[in-house]
Amino acid sequence: MPLYLPQLTRREFLKRAALAGAAVALAPQGHASLFGKARDKHVFAFFSDAHIASDPAQTYLRINMADQFAACAHELAAWPVKPAAVIVNGDLAFKFGLPEDYATFGRLLEPVRALAPIHLTLGNHDDREKFWQAFPRDATRLKTVPQRQASIFASDRANWFLLDSLDATNHTPGELGTAQLDWLARELAARPEKPAIVVCHHPLDITGLMGLKDSPALEELLVRHRQVKAFIFGHTHDWQVEQHPSGVQFINLPPTGYVFQAGRPSGWVRVTLARDGMEVELRSLDPKYPDHAQVRRLNWRPT
Ligand SMILES: [Zn+2]
């Protein structure tokens, strides 16, 4: 269950780049930017909806997804500090979660792995078994919820809960299932003090047709456990930040790949945790997008 890919050393990165041709993802002069920088333990980088096809030249809705992922990776490498971790929030593969998609995705991920450890969730265009098979030696095998990729990691100022909402490959809605919801309820109850941030590919959706089929059950947990401060998701390919009536901050990540609606941004998101909230910043691939590089401060609801 390769939810977590450890950071590569410079030596490992260069060796693997030479072997696998990973250097195509980043110009040679870019390698220097991957190493020797300080890490900020409060900074996290979010990528979502990469939709990488086996052929890096594949386009969809006139977008080359591999090029855009590489551009996001390149910008992250040029960031003044290294993030504590990078989270890639599902829809890693183009449509059907093919082994060849994951091979290409893995190559594009190499420069990112030189920067920071990576946590991955799965979306509705992924295939759990094929994904696990694609990263056999890198996998940290976690057995939390049977046949799911749910996990928790702690950072200085928050506990992060990563959910697995993949229900059926290439089928739009997602589902957490009773076992995973029970696990989340137990793990939240065991960690009442520190702010909790919940990450899931699918959003809440009252209709259950596009988002989570078990939205009411997750929403109840997010609202009831007062230490839950933010819910971060993708899937809609539509960047949004809003506050749920309960006070939980909802962050809808943009895709690194294509948007469904012309004029909406693609890119990645920088999150920096404070003691009582977070900063979020859209890093649009189109720097002319009005919300690009605008830093928003989101405050935590009272516990
Ligand atoms: Zn997607």
Side-chain angles (χ1 to χ4, degrees):
M1 300 186 190
L3 182 76
Y4 171 78
L5 302 176
Q7 186 180 348
L8 298 175
T9 63
R10 183 190 184 107
R11 177 189 286 245
E12 283 167 340
F13 172 74
L14 293 174
K15 189 173 158 198
R16 293 164 67 120
L19 284 174
V24 293
L26 203 73
Q29 66 270 23
H31 288 170
S33 63
L34 296 175
F35 304 98
K37 256 189 316 208
R39 185 180 313 281
D40 186 328
K41 64 182 177 180
H42 304 305
V43 171
F44 298 82
F46 279 86
F47 290 18
S48 192
D49 295 278
H51 290 277
I52 301 301
S54 57
D55 179 0
Q58 173 84 48
T59 61
Y60 188 71
L61 300 177
R62 285 181 286 172
I63 293 297
N64 179 304
M65 291 78 77
D67 283 356
Q68 291 208 162
F69 191 92
C72 290
H74 203 125
E75 201 193 87
L76 183 60
W79 198 254
V81 292
K82 288 184 193 174
V86 177
I87 296 102
V88 189
N89 191 30
D91 280 358
L92 316 170
F94 179 38
K95 273 187 190 300
F96 304 110
L98 304 176
E100 301 80 20
D101 297 347
Y102 293 124
T104 304
F105 175 71
R107 283 197 291 279
L108 287 164
L109 208 55
E110 292 277 296
V112 186
R113 291 192 60 188
L115 285 170
I118 300 178
H119 298 268
L120 301 140
T121 72
L122 297 174
N124 50 300
H125 290 287
D126 290 306
D127 181 309
R128 200 174 286 111
E129 289 297 331
K130 294 198 173 73
F131 175 71
W132 287 342
Q133 287 161 14
F135 295 90
R137 278 175 303 152
D138 299 324
T140 300
R141 290 193 168 268
L142 300 168
K143 295 192 175 104
T144 47
V145 181
Q147 294 310 306
R148 292 282 180 148
Q149 221 176 248
S151 76
I152 302 165
F153 73 94
S155 70
D156 207 53
R157 290 178 175 164
N159 289 316
W160 300 78
F161 295 76
L162 306 185
L163 306 181
D164 178 350
S165 59
L166 167 58
D167 179 24
T169 301
N170 203 32
H171 179 62
T172 302
E175 187 164 41
L176 296 170
T178 311
Q180 187 170 200
L181 287 162
D182 289 349
W183 168 83
L184 180 62
R186 258 193 330 269
E187 299 296 339
L188 283 170
R191 295 167 179 79
E193 302 299 335
K194 209 174 190 179
I197 300 173
V198 177
V199 180
C200 179
H201 178 73
H202 285 81
L204 297 182
D205 172 14
I206 201 74
T207 69
L209 297 173
M210 300 292 287
L212 280 175
K213 288 195 266 187
D214 35 17
S215 289
L218 178 61
E219 187 172 18
E220 191 275 325
L221 290 180
L222 300 179
V223 171
R224 176 159 53 92
H225 292 274
R226 297 295 301 178
Q227 80 273 30
V228 176
K229 307 302 186 191
F231 177 52
I232 300 180
F233 51 93
H235 185 59
T236 66
H237 295 217
D238 195 26
W239 161 248
Q240 304 275 357
V241 177
E242 60 182 4
Q243 195 168 15
H244 185 270
S246 63
V248 177
Q249 303 288 353
F250 275 32
I251 295 142
N252 191 162
L253 300 169
T256 64
Y258 51 83
V259 290
F260 293 125
Q261 199 186 335
R264 300 296 298 156
S266 295
W268 62 283
V269 169
R270 187 265 300 177
V271 165
T272 303
L273 295 183
R275 289 190 198 289
D276 55 355
M278 60 159 61
E279 276 182 12
V280 290
E281 176 183 1
L282 170 70
R283 301 299 305 177
S284 169
L285 285 170
D286 175 5
K288 294 195 291 298
Y289 185 78
D291 208 16
H292 169 66
Q294 298 298 308
V295 178
R296 295 188 204 202
R297 166 69 200 218
L298 309 179
N299 294 320
W300 295 156
R301 66 173 177 169
T303 296

